[in-house]
Structures are given as C-alpha cells and as structure tokens.
Amino acid sequence: TDELIRHVSKVLAEDKYLKESYENSELFFISQKATLIPKEYFNPENLKAYFEFNHTLNEYDELNYSFIPAIEAYSVYSLPNLLTNSFYSAFPNISFKQQQAKIVEYGKSIRADGYQVVVGIFKDFFDLAIFEEQQLLLYNSFQYTNAIDFIYFLMYPLNQLKIDKYNQKITVLGDVINHKSIISEIRHKVGNVAFPEAAKIQCKPLNMHQSLDFFTLFL
C-alpha cells in the first residue's frame, strides 16, 4: 500500500492532465474486498458489519459504498485512507467505485436467452457474475494461484447451478494478456469464450485484448 500511495502521489504531481481542474471525476478501485447488499437491506450505519462478514478491515482502510442501479444494490468496499486523501486533494469532487459495479452493469446489459456468465480476471483473484435472463443469480470473488485453481472455482458454481458449461458462452474482462494459459483452460473446458468490444484509447493504439485491461473506463 505504501508503494502504491507513493506512486499515485508522484503521478498526481507530475502528470499535466491530472493537474487540471475537472467538474467531475471517478476512480475505479480494483480489489477483492467488496460485497453486494440489496437496496432493501442496506443501511449506511451498518457498513462495517456488512464488510466484515466477508473481509478483514485493515487499520488504515476506510469503508466506501456506491449504488448500482442495474441490480438495485449497493457495493460496499474498502480503500486505503491515505490513497483516498491523495485523490481528494487533487479532485475535491471525486467519487469512488469498485470494479463490481462495471462487471455487473455489463453483465446486466447482455441481451440473450438463458444464462450470462461474466468473468473479470485480475492478478491473483477473479470475479464471477452469473445472470439468468438479465437477473443476477450470483456474484463472487475467488483467489487462485494457477490455472487449475481458476478452473475449479469457475466450474463449481456452474455445476451447482446446473449450467450446461459445454454450450455456455463465458465473457472475459480484465487482464487477459498476462493470463493466456487460463484463457486456454477455459476454452478447453467450456469452448465458448467471448471478449466484448472495448473502445480504443485515442492517444495510444491498443488492441482488443489490451483495451480489456481498462474495461472500467472503456466498456
């Protein structure tokens, strides 16, 4: 965390575009430490209880939450306090979000019969969202150390929900460039792997797979 905060402070101090004044700004923080709470059960006074049901709150972390209209639920997550202070100093009107929001919004937008399965791949964990007819059935996050772990944690919920994995399309977001062996394993076990079309950055040409690393911005 200390290294991340030093890097962020350096970038904020040196990048000419980040020195500008913006009316609105958003920061998507990618982390496994988040949980979803349906709107009917949500009370901002209970953030710590919601969060600590699944995760440990570090001493210097603060709790945040954001509403996800697509599923009428709140995402509750933690952020390093010093990190949020750095961004508030640079962008007083900034709002924070977690990758859950974008994965859920994208999965909800898929118009198809049957199940929709969306996987977000990150460095040492992946998020899994499963929808049926645009209704969220499951959202979970799994730690993995290799492709075998990944496939086990992916296949188990599909089997539990009795999803025909051999005919099920699985849409993959996130860091696909550095996880080619995992993509290969998914193709081997499922066969139908899809990558959504992500917008290209104007200032630097990115191919489709590279742009998926920035799905929180460009999907």
Side-chain angles (χ1 to χ4, degrees), residues 27-88:
L27 183 143
F28 275 92
F29 190 75
I30 292 179
S31 165
Q32 192 177 18
K33 296 178 115 181
T35 192
L36 290 172
I37 307 295
K39 182 179 72 172
E40 291 80 3
Y41 299 102
F42 181 78
N43 184 334
E45 295 179 1
N46 297 331
L47 291 185
K48 195 168 186 288
Y50 297 145
F51 183 83
E52 290 189 331
F53 186 79
N54 292 315
H55 307 288
T56 300
L57 182 65
N58 294 335
E59 182 180 1
Y60 297 108
D61 283 358
E62 65 179 44
L63 291 175
N64 281 261
Y65 65 92
S66 56
F67 184 58
I68 307 177
I71 57 167
E72 295 285 301
Y74 286 86
S75 177
V76 178
Y77 50 93
S78 66
L79 293 169
N81 181 266
L82 292 174
L83 184 69
T84 59
N85 289 343
S86 296
F87 280 101
Y88 276 128

Side-chain angles (χ1 to χ4, degrees), residues 3-214:
E3 183 181 350
L4 172 63
I5 291 167
R6 282 194 296 271
H7 178 68
V8 166
S9 298
K10 183 174 185 292
V11 171
L12 289 173
E14 296 178 358
D15 190 291
K16 65 179 182 179
Y17 296 106
L18 297 181
K19 291 179 181 179
E20 297 291 336
S21 176
Y22 297 99
E23 184 176 345
N24 294 296
S25 53
E26 288 183 335
L27 183 143
F28 275 92
F29 190 75
I30 292 179
S31 165
Q32 192 177 18
K33 296 178 115 181
T35 192
L36 290 172
I37 307 295
K39 182 179 72 172
E40 291 80 3
Y41 299 102
F42 181 78
N43 184 334
E45 295 179 1
N46 297 331
L47 291 185
K48 195 168 186 288
Y50 297 145
F51 183 83
E52 290 189 331
F53 186 79
N54 292 315
H55 307 288
T56 300
L57 182 65
N58 294 335
E59 182 180 1
Y60 297 108
D61 283 358
E62 65 179 44
L63 291 175
N64 281 261
Y65 65 92
S66 56
F67 184 58
I68 307 177
I71 57 167
E72 295 285 301
Y74 286 86
S75 177
V76 178
Y77 50 93
S78 66
L79 293 169
N81 181 266
L82 292 174
L83 184 69
T84 59
N85 289 343
S86 296
F87 280 101
Y88 276 128
S89 296
F91 308 105
N93 296 322
I94 194 169
S95 61
F96 295 93
K97 293 185 178 179
Q98 207 260 1
Q99 82 270 5
Q100 273 186 342
K102 190 58 74 174
I103 292 174
V104 164
E105 287 169 0
Y106 178 74
K108 178 82 173 178
S109 74
I110 299 174
R111 302 298 175 191
D113 294 332
Y115 295 97
Q116 299 83 44
V117 179
V118 181
V119 174
I121 302 180
F122 309 105
K123 183 180 178 182
D124 52 10
F125 73 94
F126 73 93
D127 286 356
L128 172 66
I130 300 177
F131 295 79
E132 184 179 18
E133 305 292 344
Q134 287 78 54
Q135 298 300 310
L136 182 65
L137 294 182
L138 177 144
Y139 193 106
N140 210 342
S141 186
F142 304 89
Q143 288 184 313
Y144 68 92
T145 56
N146 52 48
I148 294 173
D149 284 352
F150 191 104
I151 292 301
Y152 173 80
F153 290 123
L154 174 62
M155 292 295 109
Y156 186 78
L158 298 183
N159 290 334
Q160 290 294 101
L161 292 171
K162 296 181 170 52
I163 296 174
D164 181 4
K165 53 186 177 289
Y166 300 109
N167 293 302
Q168 177 61 48
K169 180 173 77 172
I170 296 190
T171 303
V172 178
L173 311 171
D175 184 8
V176 300
I177 295 288
N178 293 315
H179 295 90
K180 292 179 180 176
S181 63
I182 287 174
I183 302 299
S184 262
E185 281 296 317
I186 297 175
R187 280 202 174 102
H188 177 68
K189 296 293 184 184
V190 179
N192 193 354
V193 176
F195 302 103
E197 177 114 11
K200 306 298 188 293
I201 302 178
Q202 297 275 329
C203 60
K204 181 182 178 182
L206 297 177
N207 63 38
M208 180 187 71
H209 290 169
Q210 289 171 322
S211 64
L212 285 177
D213 209 7
F214 301 93

